[in-house]
Amino acid sequence: YSAGQAEPRLGRALKALEVDRLVIATKAGTYHAGGGRIARDFSPAAIVASAERSLQNLNLGQIDLLQLHGPDRSELTEELFAVLRELRAAGTTIVLITHKLREVLDLSDRVTVMRAGKTVGTRETAATSIPELAEMMVGRPVLLALEKPPAAPGAAVLELAGLEVRDDRGLP
């Protein structure tokens, strides 16, 4: 988005407007890393820094909506949840775009499921379940637990000893 210059430009334009009549939204977790690359950082410190940077760029006291798009499961830590809960308590709406249902249920008050660019439905978190959300996501009931007998390994098919592999440069 304008190589990171959109927010400062918007901040200058907002000075002349009644910002209490606007919903101010920003995103966090991704940033321009130079050379046209987009990098990811969903650490709590990066989310806080991103929100603070947006407030400074936009010359505002609060962000109404913060969007996090596609954090990995490893990035959805309890420390990040604590930061998001603090932002929510301060009046910021958090939009978490993910398919990780357990994390969504842990953090949200309400869940909206989209499929193929259309809203399938919205549920209050306390009144829904992972099976219901999964069905909404794919359009049919989903088997969430694979039932199979315990593994019974047989005799070894191949055994190797002292194997050494080198790449195309001759390095191990």
Side-chain angles (χ1 to χ4, degrees):
Y1 303 172
S2 301
Q5 296 303 309
E7 281 187 351
R9 290 177 187 158
L10 180 57
R12 289 189 295 274
L14 288 174
K15 285 182 182 178
L17 300 176
E18 296 178 48
V19 293
D20 60 331
R21 296 182 62 201
L22 299 172
V23 172
I24 304 300
T26 190
K27 64 181 178 125
T30 58
Y31 62 94
H32 292 276
R37 290 185 15 249
I38 301 292
R40 302 166 44 92
D41 186 352
F42 288 94
S43 68
I47 299 303
V48 168
S50 179
E52 289 173 351
R53 192 169 40 254
S54 290
L55 289 171
Q56 182 179 10
N57 287 338
L58 295 169
N59 199 25
L60 296 171
Q62 180 178 331
I63 297 169
D64 299 309
L65 188 144
L66 179 67
Q67 174 186 324
L68 302 177
H69 191 166
D72 290 332
R73 174 163 290 171
S74 64
E75 296 167 317
L76 293 172
T77 63
E78 188 51 45
E79 292 82 12
L80 175 59
F81 283 6
V83 166
L84 296 178
R85 286 185 189 105
E86 286 176 25
L87 288 168
R88 183 174 68 181
T92 301
T93 297
I94 308 295
V95 176
L96 176 62
I97 301 171
T98 184
H99 62 279
K100 295 159 186 72
L101 299 179
R102 190 170 323 284
E103 287 81 356
V104 166
L105 293 177
D106 286 345
L107 187 63
S108 67
D109 298 318
R110 187 172 38 256
V111 179
T112 297
V113 174
M114 296 181 72
R115 185 176 63 244
K118 294 187 170 53
T119 299
V120 175
T122 299
R123 301 288 185 273
E124 296 298 317
T125 301
T128 193
S129 64
I130 288 176
E132 180 184 23
L133 294 174
E135 183 172 342
M136 290 170 65
M137 289 171 71
V138 300
R140 61 176 170 69
V142 176
L143 179 63
L144 296 172
L146 184 60
E147 296 178 16
K148 62 180 185 176
V157 176
L158 175 67
E159 289 186 25
L160 298 172
L163 179 64
E164 188 175 312
V165 179
R166 297 188 178 273
D167 66 12
D168 58 346
R169 296 169 295 166
L171 299 173

